[in-house]
Amino acid sequence: MINVFNLALFLLVTMSPPTKSLHLAGTWNSNNFFLFLAKFGFQKTDPKELENTQGYIYGNITNSSISSSTKELTLVVVDSEYFLDFYGNSSLAPSLACPAMFKKIDQIAFDYICKPKGVEDFLRKIPCPTKKLCVDEDNPANVVPGYQFTYKVRDVQRPRFWYLSLVSCYRDTSGRKCEWHSSKDSEITINYDIWLVNGNPSVKGLNPFEHQFSFELHDVFEIHLIAFTSCVIIFLLWIYAFTSNQRHIITCLFTACICGELLSIMMNLTHVSIFAFNGIGAEWLGKIGTLLDLATQCLVMLLLILLAKGLGITTDQFKWRSVIFTLWAAYTLLNVFLYIWNLVEIDNIISNTDEWQTWPGYATLAFRIIVMFWFLYELRQTFGQTNRDDMSFVMHFGAFFLVWFSYLPALALVTLQVSPLWRYKTILSINYAVEILAYAVLVHLFWPARSILFLVEGERPLPTYDLEITGLLDDMQESTVFDHEGDEIKDSMLGRDKASASDQATKRGDIQMKSKKSLFKSTNGRSRASNGAMLSNGSLQFHQDNKAYDRNELDEKDL
C-alpha cells in the first residue's frame, strides 16, 4: 500500500500540467516546435472599473544566446473559439502545420503590415530585443513598466478561458506575401518570464487571493480557510471527548480520520496562500494534501463499515477481517488509479472533462454504490441483533451516512451541467461541507453523554459520573425511595414494631446493594448488545426483583 501511494505522489508531482502555475518562467528551444504554457480564466470585465477588472498578460521573452537566424517565433494568446483549431493542427508536419494553425486566427488578428484592420491583439513576434519592447508593442503606455510586452484581456459579457502558447512559426512579410512558415530549424533558444493576473498589477493588493488566480480558483482560499476553521473546532471538541474515557479502537480510528482531514486541509491552505504571494505556490505540498485527503476519505469509509458491523456497539469481536480489508484496499487502489488516470490520460489543455466522466471514474462511483449497499446490509444485521429499545444511534447513524455514500455519485451527475469556470469551486465546497458535517455528526454520536451505552468497556464498572449523565443513577435513587415508603406502609399494616422494621429494612438494603453490584458486573462471554440491554433496562429489572422479593416476604409473614 505504501508503495502505491509513493508512486501516486511521484506522478502527481512530476506529471502535473503547467497550467497550475500562473507565474511562468523557463527556457524553450524552437526545435520543439510547439509549447503550451497555460490555460487561464479571466474574470468578467466591469466597464465602470475597466483598468482594475480586466485581465493582464505581461512579461519578458528574450534570446538566451546569440543567434544568426533572421526567423522569428510567435507568442499566441487566444480564447477557446480559436484555440481548438490552432492546437488541433499543431500535430501536423511543421511545413503544413503553420498555415493551418493560423488560418482561422488570421481572420481577426491584428498585424500592422499584413492585417492592419484586424480587431484582436492575439500575436507577438518573439524573442523581443534585449532591454527593449517587443516589436509589436506600438504604444509603450500600454505596457506594464519593467516588462517587454502586455496583453489586456477585456470581456464585458462573461468570464472566459484564454490559452497561452509558443510556436515555431513566423509570418513572411517580404513582398507582402504574409504567408506562415515553420522556423523549427532556426535553433533559437529563448528565456521567458510571464505573469497572468486578474486586475491591474499596480493594485494587486486590493484582493491578493484573486489577483493571481484563474477565475475557476477564485474564492478557493476562503473555502479552504472556512473548512480549516470548522475542522479545528471539531477537532478540539473531539479531543475533549476522546480524553474523557472514550478510548476504543473505533474512537482511535475516528481520531486518525479527523487528524488526516485537518492536516490535508492545512496543506492545501498553505499551498494556496503561497500561490497568492508568488503565483507558483508549494505545488508538492498541495499534491501531498490531495493524497492525504484521498487516504482519509477511504479511512472514513472503513470506519463506517466497522460501525455498521457493530464493532464497539454490539460486539467486541472483529469478524470477517480479511474480507473487509480486501474490499477497502480495492476501493482505495481504485481511487489512486483514478487520480493517476486523470494525470496521464485526460487532456487538460482543451478538455473540460473531470475525472468522474471517465471509465475509471464510473468504476469508482459504481464501487462506492456497492459499498453503500453493503453498509446498509451490515447495519440491518446489527439492528436485528440488538435487544435495546433505544436505537436512536443506529437510526441517525444509518440515515445520515446513507446520504454520505450517495452524495458523490449525485454530485458527479449534477456538475455535468455546471460550467467548468464554476465546477471546481462547487465540487470543493460540497465535498468539504459533507465531510465536515460527517465528522460533526460522528462527534455528536460519540459524545460521552450519548455513547457511554455503546462504547462501554466490558470489564470496567461504570463510574458514578457516567451513570449520572445517562440518567440511570436518578432512576435507581428514585426507586429506592418508593420502596422504602412501601415498606413503611406494609409494616404499619402488619403491626410490626420498629426494631423488626429496622431489621427488615437492613436486609432489604443488603439485597439492593447486591442487586446494584450485579448491575455493574459483566461477563467475558457477553456481547455489547447484552451489556447495553442490561444498562438501559437494568433499572426496570432492578424494580421487578425488589417487588418480587417484597411479595414473597409478605406471603411468609401472612403465614
Side-chain angles (χ1 to χ4, degrees):
M1 183 67 67
I2 296 178
N3 292 333
V4 173
F5 278 105
N6 288 338
L7 175 61
L9 177 60
F10 172 78
L11 291 173
L12 282 168
V13 174
T14 59
M15 295 185 178
S16 299
T19 58
K20 298 299 181 183
S21 176
L22 282 311
H23 179 198
L24 309 172
T27 302
W28 178 65
N29 188 277
S30 61
N31 288 335
N32 296 322
F33 184 69
F34 179 81
L35 175 64
F36 174 75
L37 291 175
K39 172 177 134 181
F40 192 82
F42 287 101
Q43 63 191 6
K44 179 182 176 180
T45 304
D46 184 358
K48 296 180 180 179
E49 298 183 10
L50 188 63
E51 291 297 323
N52 293 334
T53 58
Q54 65 185 354
Y56 282 79
I57 303 174
Y58 60 96
N60 298 318
I61 301 180
T62 56
N63 203 328
S64 64
S65 60
I66 300 176
S67 176
S68 59
S69 176
T70 57
K71 298 178 181 178
E72 298 168 329
L73 311 177
T74 304
L75 171 66
V76 182
V77 177
V78 291
D79 61 11
S80 58
E81 180 181 356
Y82 295 93
F83 183 75
L84 293 178
D85 289 341
F86 174 77
Y87 177 72
N89 290 317
S90 63
S91 59
L92 299 175
S95 58
L96 301 176
C98 290
M101 293 172 70
F102 288 93
K103 180 179 180 180
K104 186 173 182 179
I105 293 177
D106 271 345
Q107 298 174 4
I108 195 172
F110 170 81
D111 183 86
Y112 66 92
I113 295 179
C114 297
K115 300 291 181 179
K117 295 183 179 181
V119 295
E120 294 292 347
D121 188 20
F122 284 163
L123 309 177
R124 292 290 186 276
K125 301 179 181 67
I126 56 173
C128 304
T130 304
K131 297 182 180 181
K132 294 182 180 180
L133 300 181
C134 294
V135 296
D136 293 310
E137 295 292 351
D138 53 355
N139 186 359
N142 290 332
V143 181
V144 175
Y147 295 92
Q148 295 177 303
F149 71 90
T150 297
Y151 288 90
K152 294 183 178 181
V153 181
R154 300 174 183 176
D155 194 330
V156 296
Q157 295 181 349
R158 62 182 177 88
R160 193 189 302 266
F161 282 117
W162 287 73
Y163 301 82
L164 184 66
S165 307
L166 300 174
V167 62
S168 298
C169 295
Y170 73 100
R171 195 197 303 265
D172 184 8
T173 58
S174 60
R176 294 190 176 272
K177 296 179 180 178
C178 297
E179 295 177 349
W180 286 97
H181 299 283
S182 171
S183 54
K184 183 179 179 180
D185 57 353
S186 59
E187 296 292 338
I188 300 175
T189 301
I190 61 173
N191 295 325
Y192 59 88
D193 183 9
I194 305 173
W195 292 83
L196 298 90
V197 298
N198 276 292
N200 194 334
S202 62
V203 292
K204 63 181 180 180
L206 291 177
N207 194 344
F209 298 108
E210 290 185 0
H211 180 70
Q212 294 189 113
F213 291 87
S214 180
F215 181 79
E216 76 274 14
L217 299 179
H218 281 191
D219 303 323
V220 167
F221 173 81
E222 289 83 353
I223 295 172
H224 285 305
L225 183 60
I226 293 173
F228 180 74
T229 304
S230 303
C231 200
V232 167
I233 295 174
I234 294 175
F235 175 75
L236 294 177
L237 291 173
W238 175 244
I239 290 300
Y240 169 78
F242 183 67
T243 56
S244 302
N245 297 325
Q246 291 296 302
R247 303 294 178 86
H248 189 276
I249 183 175
I250 292 296
T251 56
C252 290
L253 188 61
F254 180 57
T255 303
C257 292
I258 294 182
C259 292
E261 185 71 20
L262 182 62
L263 188 58
S264 68
I265 297 175
M266 183 178 67
M267 288 181 175
N268 283 288
L269 180 61
T270 303
H271 164 60
V272 172
S273 301
I274 298 175
F275 189 97
F277 175 74
N278 61 10
I280 299 175
E283 192 168 2
W284 62 272
L285 194 61
K287 299 307 180 184
I288 295 176
T290 301
L291 274 180
L292 185 58
D293 182 65
L294 170 65
T296 301
Q297 291 185 24
C298 294
L299 197 61
V300 170
M301 181 170 290
L302 175 63
L303 171 67
L304 297 180
I305 295 297
L306 294 180
L307 286 173
K309 287 189 70 66
L311 184 63
I313 301 178
T314 62
T315 182
D316 285 331
Q317 300 178 1
F318 195 174
K319 298 180 179 179
W320 300 93
R321 184 177 306 178
S322 59
V323 176
I324 293 175
F325 279 106
T326 299
L327 292 177
W328 173 72
Y331 180 80
T332 303
L333 290 175
L334 190 57
N335 275 273
V336 174
F337 177 73
L338 175 61
Y339 273 86
I340 297 175
W341 176 275
N342 185 34
L343 293 175
V344 176
E345 294 296 331
I346 296 180
D347 188 357
N348 290 313
I349 297 178
I350 61 174
S351 175
N352 291 318
T353 302
D354 58 33
E355 64 269 22
W356 302 115
Q357 274 70 59
T358 61
W359 71 263
Y362 296 142
T364 303
L365 294 176
F367 203 131
R368 187 182 179 97
I369 294 175
I370 293 174
V371 175
M372 179 186 71
F373 282 111
W374 182 31
F375 168 80
L376 292 176
Y377 172 79
E378 294 294 348
L379 198 62
R380 176 78 177 182
Q381 295 296 106
T382 302
F383 183 88
Q385 292 176 3
T386 54
N387 298 321
R388 287 176 306 217
D389 297 329
D390 183 12
M391 290 302 299
S392 61
F393 175 87
V394 176
M395 294 175 62
H396 290 88
F397 172 75
F400 178 82
F401 286 100
L402 177 62
V403 177
W404 185 87
F405 274 101
S406 59
Y407 94 92
L408 188 57
L411 182 62
L413 293 176
V414 171
T415 51
L416 285 174
Q417 308 302 320
V418 179
S419 168
L421 289 163
W422 301 91
R423 184 180 300 163
Y424 176 75
K425 65 185 76 175
T426 301
I427 294 176
L428 182 66
S429 301
I430 295 177
N431 278 339
Y432 273 151
V434 174
E435 293 295 332
I436 292 176
L437 184 59
Y439 291 126
V441 169
L442 285 175
V443 169
H444 175 67
L445 295 177
F446 288 161
W447 196 254
R450 298 180 55 87
S451 67
I452 194 65
L453 300 180
F454 308 106
L455 298 175
V456 61
E457 297 178 8
E459 296 298 328
R460 179 177 58 83
L462 292 176
T464 304
Y465 170 75
D466 292 340
L467 292 175
E468 288 177 350
I469 62 178
T470 56
L472 294 179
L473 188 60
D474 295 338
D475 294 339
M476 293 178 188
Q477 293 174 348
E478 185 178 353
S479 65
T480 303
V481 173
F482 289 140
D483 287 344
H484 280 296
E485 292 178 355
D487 292 342
E488 292 177 0
I489 296 174
K490 294 172 187 175
D491 290 341
S492 62
M493 293 176 61
L494 295 173
R496 299 300 181 103
D497 54 9
K498 295 182 179 180
S500 176
S502 177
D503 293 339
Q504 292 175 3
T506 302
K507 293 180 181 180
R508 284 194 296 272
D510 293 338
I511 294 174
Q512 290 173 358
M513 291 300 296
K514 293 179 181 180
S515 299
K516 291 180 180 179
K517 290 180 180 180
S518 64
L519 175 64
F520 297 122
K521 295 180 181 179
S522 59
T523 60
N524 294 332
R526 288 187 180 182
S527 67
R528 295 291 174 138
S530 62
N531 193 4
M534 179 183 67
L535 289 174
S536 60
N537 300 324
S539 58
L540 297 177
Q541 183 66 38
F542 180 67
H543 298 164
Q544 294 173 358
D545 291 344
N546 285 334
K547 292 178 180 179
Y549 170 77
D550 293 338
R551 286 197 298 271
N552 292 335
E553 185 178 9
L554 287 174
D555 292 341
E556 291 177 359
K557 292 176 182 179
D558 292 340
L559 293 175

